[in-house]
Amino acid sequence: MSKKLTLALAGNPNSGKTTAFNAITGARQHVGNYPGITVDKKQGTAYVDGREVHVIDLPGTYSLTAYTMEEVVARSVVADERPDMVVDVVNAGALERNLYLAVQLMEMGAPLTLALNMMDEAKKQGMRIDAQKLSSLLGVPVVETVARTGEGVDELMLKAVSTADAKAGKPWEPLAISYGPDLDPVIEEMVALINKEQFLTDRYPARWVAIKYLENDEEMQRIGRPFGAVASELESRAAEVAEHLDATLKTYPEAVIADYRYGYISSILRQGVVSRLDSMQERLAFSDKLDQLLTHRMFGPLIMLGILFLIYQITFTIGEIPMGWLESLFGWLNETVSAAMPDGMLKSLVVSGIIDGVGGVMGFVPLIMFMFLQIAFLEDSGYMARIAYMLDRVFRYFGLHGCSVMPFIVSGGIAGGCAVPGVMASRTLRSPKEKLATLLTAPFMACGAKLPVFLLVVGVFFADNEASVMFMLTLAGWISALLVAKLLRSTVIKGEATPFVMELPPYRVPTFRGLLIHTWERTWQYIKKAGTVILAISILLWLAMTFPKLSVEQIAPFDTQRAAVTAQMEEAKAAGQEDLAGFEERLADIDNVQSEEALRNSVAGRMGIAIEPVTKWAGFEWRTNIALVGGFAAKEVIVSTLGTAYSLGEVDAEEAQPLADRIANDPHWTPANGVALLLFVLLYAPCFVTVVAIKQESGSWGWAIFSTVFNTAFALLVATAVYQIGSL
Amino acid sequence: MSTIIPLRELQVGQKAHISQVTASGELGRRIRDMGLIPGAEVEVTGRAPLRDPVALRLTGFTLSLRNNEADHITVEI
């Protein structure tokens, strides 16, 4: 039995690499993360002739420089995991640019097989490619494939495996390209030095290291520095050459290297590899026609608005249905467990802490699934790139990216969204700074859970202008998100805009299987990761709102009152009085006052009271504070906690009339309080499910905590300003 | 007869050959990775509704870049 082979799949974005990966591994794949960064690590298993092959899907890259995380990952997997074979999926229609990556892989010395993918489209464009010739000129096997239909995939795998077997045990043979009279002599000298010092030669070919130093590659410099003298010698040699090239040719090594690489590629392609049958007549492809409409000056934005609105509608109207089922399921579970377990702490923990907590998380799953399904459709069809293309000019002004629009809208850019899928939608952004600014500001939007609070407060103070105040709140969300993004991008996430240079892939009908796989893997990641952390936090919040409990002495007066009322009720009953509702009401009142007292006594309550000196400037007293602390669990909780704090018992967020009356009649509450509370709820810390999602997408708890602290401070500032001005 | 003009000035539907790419650093790398190198033929296929970014056709694929990024590229018509 021969050993298990490892095969890495490389390729440009939009080359059909992911489709090929799906075709090769089928459902036998799983997704993880590379430690510390948010690049997906996809792996799978394939069987070739009954032999098990481990397949690693490298992130899609155009090159192997060190500017993006994707490239660093692709490079280090090849260098460190030493796959037995690298299969480079190239888009046959754009062969020249796609071979740029292939050549760099060959320079690393990796054993390579080329998958000449999308052959059907290339043929339709009138291209003829001589695969045999390409194979003999490059010295690597070339197999024609159409990954969408699976055509050629079996052959590709057979070829890759047999070539890997033939090369097994032999050293890698890096390709050496000439980089011209200015660089070649320097490369020779650097190679000699590297070989003499055995500098990194266990990981990379000497020539590759030399080229990376000439390209001024930060990652290579970082790896090299601990080696001391050799590294600094190489760096200074590279700097010398750069200076020389600048002085004599007004250019720099990186540009020269790229030119020679492309030169090498076109010298191969020109030897009769590619021929265009109707090269004279550039046919206006179907995709271009679509673009004339879909990115039209006037119709383009209109159609885009329509599509974004449709996505929002589908996510929240259709997603609502299974969400309702899940809610009923957890409601039923709640009731069943409540009935089965004896009263006490354990029951309260299981029911309020665990079941409600997990139920809250699982409730988001249908929304996330529907949203990801549609995003996968937009991405795979090529429309997502057009959205970015059309909106980039607007968003760039605020330090964001055209793709930022999706997270904003899903988060509640159209009131009623949800920041959890919104933050997760920021995954489509490939520019790290813009992505971070997007996911930190998306939670400012008017999400669905904030609406009950808005409706309550607006209903009390602005009953005549409900619709327009609600609209202004949605607008306030957008304005805050954009301005804060601008602020963040000029302070903590400062830096040049990431280059926009982006491919506009031709429109394609996505494959059903691809859509399902993408949707499922993203949803499952949410369930798995968020589920564990969120369960822990919801238990913590339950503890904070439950403990410490009222002492026996504190409960005693309530018991006495209850006993008195019960005694009176018994008397009345004995006297033949029919209507006992008044007594029952008084009993309920006592219970509610006790709940208020218990909440006030809990850790959360004490926190609410402790921060009153600060929040009073924004017009919030301790009752509101507790509700806002509870709102960190989920914004829906604000209304019900406020109800408990006002001794009204548990208030249903949907029917909060008693609470509204209570607030309306409270002299403490003025319209200034109302507006301050509205803006605070709109802007303060995202709910913890969102915070966990931010951690997941930004790859660090630091940013998750930042969003909690910064947003709360920002909200408090705004609320205080509004309240102080309003109370003048 | 050929003139060298900045890529930004190319009209929609106009074709040209790239004569020089002056961008360095990350932008320069991105531009070259995408095959925008001296000699390559480009055609402006469209502009976004706000006239920026611009869509370019190269052999076999379309890409978009911002006007201020296009300023680093000159073309020959």
Side-chain angles (χ1 to χ4, degrees):
Chain A
M1 193 67 201
S2 39
K3 79 173 188 96
K4 183 173 159 182
L5 287 176
T6 302
L7 186 146
L9 210 57
N12 284 187
N14 306 309
S15 65
K17 182 174 70 68
T18 309
T19 315
F21 180 71
N22 291 341
I24 291 168
T25 61
R28 296 176 300 269
Q29 49 172 279
H30 58 98
V31 188
N33 272 106
Y34 289 99
I37 49 173
T38 53
V39 178
D40 282 344
K41 181 175 193 171
K42 288 171 98 175
Q43 302 185 80
T45 310
Y47 292 89
V48 179
D49 258 357
R51 215 165 132 194
E52 199 180 336
V53 179
H54 176 146
V55 186
I56 306 171
D57 188 22
L58 299 175
T61 61
Y62 292 106
S63 179
L64 289 178
T65 58
Y67 268 121
T68 65
M69 271 302 152
E70 283 83 5
E71 293 180 8
V72 174
V73 166
R75 213 160 91 173
S76 57
V77 169
V78 173
D80 299 331
E81 299 194 16
R82 298 248 147 192
D84 300 292
M85 178 54 66
V86 177
V87 173
D88 183 9
V89 182
V90 301
N91 174 358
L95 198 53
E96 191 178 7
R97 194 204 65 209
N98 276 260
L99 286 180
Y100 192 65
L101 176 68
V103 166
Q104 292 181 64
L105 286 165
M106 288 162 73
E107 285 186 285
M108 276 188 85
L112 196 71
T113 302
L114 276 192
L116 211 49
N117 196 29
M118 302 189 182
M119 273 309 290
D120 51 341
E121 285 183 20
K123 277 179 190 153
K124 261 192 241 159
Q125 283 170 30
M127 271 176 82
R128 289 288 174 273
I129 299 174
D130 189 337
Q132 286 244 291
K133 196 156 212 171
L134 181 63
S135 171
S136 66
L137 287 170
L138 279 177
V140 301
V142 177
V143 182
E144 296 185 18
T145 58
V146 181
R148 285 168 59 84
T149 59
E151 205 180 306
V153 171
D154 289 340
E155 201 192 325
L156 170 72
M157 291 302 285
L158 282 172
K159 194 82 191 170
V161 167
S162 64
T163 314
D165 281 340
K167 293 199 175 209
K170 294 181 191 156
W172 284 14
E173 294 161 12
L175 170 75
I177 301 177
S178 161
Y179 285 108
D182 287 298
L183 295 185
D184 275 347
V186 188
I187 294 176
E188 291 302 319
E189 287 170 34
M190 288 168 92
V191 166
L193 176 68
I194 292 165
N195 277 333
K196 196 180 107 213
E197 302 284 342
Q198 301 269 300
F199 175 67
L200 293 173
T201 41
D202 53 330
R203 290 180 77 189
Y204 302 101
R207 197 177 162 83
W208 166 269
V209 175
I211 292 167
K212 285 293 137 188
Y213 267 97
L214 287 174
E215 283 182 330
N216 211 6
D217 186 285
E218 293 87 348
E219 175 73 5
M220 186 59 82
Q221 289 169 350
R222 192 183 61 77
I223 297 173
R225 275 195 194 116
F227 291 81
V230 204
S232 43
E233 170 69 16
L234 289 171
E235 274 186 47
S236 66
R237 289 309 307 267
E240 260 168 49
V241 180
E243 222 167 274
H244 174 73
L245 280 179
D246 187 42
T248 55
L249 297 166
K250 278 248 153 277
T251 183
Y252 39 94
E254 251 191 285
V256 174
I257 290 171
D259 285 352
Y260 273 91
R261 262 187 209 134
Y262 275 114
Y264 174 77
I265 293 165
S266 57
S267 75
I268 285 176
L269 295 186
R270 253 186 271 120
Q271 295 177 47
V273 172
V274 180
S275 52
R276 284 166 195 280
L277 295 183
D278 49 358
S279 59
M280 291 307 288
Q281 191 194 355
E282 187 80 38
R283 294 184 311 149
L284 194 61
F286 173 64
S287 190
D288 284 9
K289 281 191 190 145
L290 262 181
D291 259 339
Q292 284 184 351
L293 175 68
L294 293 179
T295 64
H296 184 271
R297 270 205 93 171
M298 238 176 54
F299 301 120
L302 285 177
I303 295 170
M304 178 175 62
L305 274 181
I307 290 177
L308 291 175
F309 187 70
L310 194 69
I311 287 183
Y312 174 86
Q313 282 293 325
I314 293 176
T315 305
F316 290 100
T317 46
I318 301 186
E320 197 94 307
I321 301 167
M323 201 166 161
W325 298 339
L326 277 174
E327 268 167 24
S328 329
L329 175 73
F330 278 95
W332 170 82
L333 203 63
N334 187 326
E335 277 168 32
T336 316
V337 174
S338 294
M341 287 178 72
D343 278 339
M345 270 301 102
L346 188 64
K347 175 173 162 179
S348 172
L349 171 69
V350 171
V351 173
S352 313
I354 298 174
I355 296 181
D356 286 358
V358 174
V361 176
M362 297 303 286
F364 287 117
V365 169
L367 288 193
I368 288 173
M369 259 172 60
F370 275 94
M371 195 214 40
F372 276 143
L373 183 66
Q374 295 173 83
I375 287 189
F377 186 87
L378 289 189
E379 280 188 314
D380 293 1
S381 67
Y383 191 67
M384 189 64 97
R386 269 72 181 186
I387 293 181
Y389 169 68
M390 282 190 277
L391 280 175
D392 182 69
R393 189 68 197 85
V394 181
F395 281 87
R396 191 204 324 167
Y397 179 78
F398 298 99
L400 300 168
H401 186 277
C403 287
S404 304
V405 68
M406 188 58 90
F408 280 172
I409 288 191
V410 176
S411 293
I414 304 172
C418 175
V420 177
V423 163
M424 294 176 81
S426 72
R427 204 169 282 192
T428 51
L429 274 124
R430 289 190 136 232
S431 341
K433 288 187 196 116
E434 285 84 347
K435 175 180 170 181
L436 194 54
T438 305
L439 58 88
L440 288 176
T441 51
F444 286 140
M445 296 296 172
C447 78
K450 295 172 185 169
L451 293 186
V453 192
F454 293 168
L455 288 172
L456 172 76
V457 179
V458 171
V460 172
F461 296 106
F462 308 99
D464 299 336
N465 303 313
E466 254 183 51
S468 55
V469 175
M470 291 300 274
F471 179 71
M472 275 156 67
L473 279 168
T474 309
L475 213 60
W478 274 97
I479 295 171
S480 310
L482 291 176
L483 291 182
V484 169
K486 177 106 183 149
L487 175 76
L488 292 176
R489 286 287 278 114
S490 32
T491 52
V492 278
I493 329 176
K494 207 169 169 166
E496 280 287 292
T498 315
F500 185 70
V501 190
M502 179 186 75
E503 199 174 346
L504 293 175
Y507 291 104
R508 291 196 182 93
V509 181
T511 62
F512 189 61
R513 181 189 195 173
L515 289 183
L516 287 187
I517 290 178
H518 288 167
T519 307
W520 170 246
E521 72 195 17
R522 289 170 173 182
T523 309
W524 178 239
Q525 263 184 313
Y526 167 77
I527 298 175
K528 211 170 44 178
K529 279 203 174 169
T532 45
V533 183
I534 285 164
L535 177 61
I537 302 181
S538 59
I539 291 176
L540 264 178
L541 273 168
W542 171 83
L543 287 172
M545 295 183 70
T546 314
F547 289 98
K549 304 202 68 87
L550 291 174
S551 64
V552 181
E553 294 83 56
Q554 281 166 311
I555 296 176
F558 294 107
D559 284 340
T560 321
Q561 283 179 38
R562 257 191 295 265
V565 175
T566 315
Q568 285 173 23
M569 195 162 78
E570 291 301 319
E571 256 170 51
K573 215 193 268 180
Q577 194 176 327
E578 292 288 312
D579 183 23
L580 299 170
F583 295 109
E584 270 156 28
E585 233 168 72
R586 277 169 62 196
L587 279 178
D589 282 345
I590 296 166
D591 285 348
N592 288 340
V593 175
Q594 185 181 346
S595 309
E596 179 195 339
E597 201 53 48
L599 183 60
R600 190 181 174 151
N601 188 53
S602 70
V603 174
R606 289 171 195 210
M607 271 163 66
I609 295 164
I611 57 177
E612 213 180 41
V614 179
T615 59
K616 73 172 185 218
W617 297 101
F620 307 151
E621 39 130 40
W622 69 270
R623 289 188 177 86
T624 314
N625 289 348
I626 297 181
L628 292 173
V629 170
F632 181 63
K635 301 278 151 87
E636 294 95 329
V637 174
I638 297 176
V639 172
S640 63
T641 314
L642 210 52
T644 310
Y646 274 110
S647 308
L648 294 168
E650 291 258 330
V651 170
D652 188 344
E654 309 286 313
E655 294 156 31
Q657 202 47 48
L659 182 58
D661 293 341
R662 176 76 176 75
I663 290 174
N665 295 323
D666 191 331
H668 171 80
W669 280 87
T670 63
N673 289 84
V675 177
L677 181 62
L678 285 175
L679 288 173
F680 188 84
V681 169
L682 179 71
L683 302 175
Y684 88 115
C687 69
F688 73 77
V689 188
T690 308
V691 173
V692 172
I694 292 178
K695 189 261 154 185
Q696 206 171 324
E697 294 308 320
S698 67
S700 103
W701 276 110
W703 286 115
I705 293 165
F706 175 86
S707 82
T708 312
V709 175
F710 173 82
N711 290 16
T712 308
F714 176 68
L716 194 64
L717 196 75
V718 172
T720 306
V722 167
Y723 179 68
Q724 292 301 328
I725 293 168
S727 326
L728 285 180
Chain B
M1 257 285 289
S2 69
T3 17
I4 307 245
I5 59 165
L7 178 57
R8 191 200 270 259
E9 287 171 19
L10 219 53
Q11 301 297 313
V12 172
Q14 213 176 352
K15 278 187 196 173
H17 286 271
I18 292 179
S19 79
Q20 211 184 2
V21 179
T22 55
S24 59
E26 180 172 10
L27 178 62
R29 239 178 242 183
R30 285 273 150 266
I31 287 178
R32 282 191 298 273
D33 289 353
M34 297 297 267
L36 286 167
I37 46 157
E41 190 188 51
V42 295
E43 177 191 347
V44 175
T45 54
R47 282 181 194 277
L50 293 167
R51 318 310 287 158
D52 183 19
V54 58
L56 291 180
R57 161 65 48 85
L58 276 90
T59 334
F61 65 100
T62 311
L63 60 83
S64 73
L65 73 169
R66 293 172 175 158
N67 281 343
N68 60 4
E69 293 164 354
D71 283 341
H72 296 279
I73 301 172
T74 54
V75 294
E76 192 179 328
I77 46 170

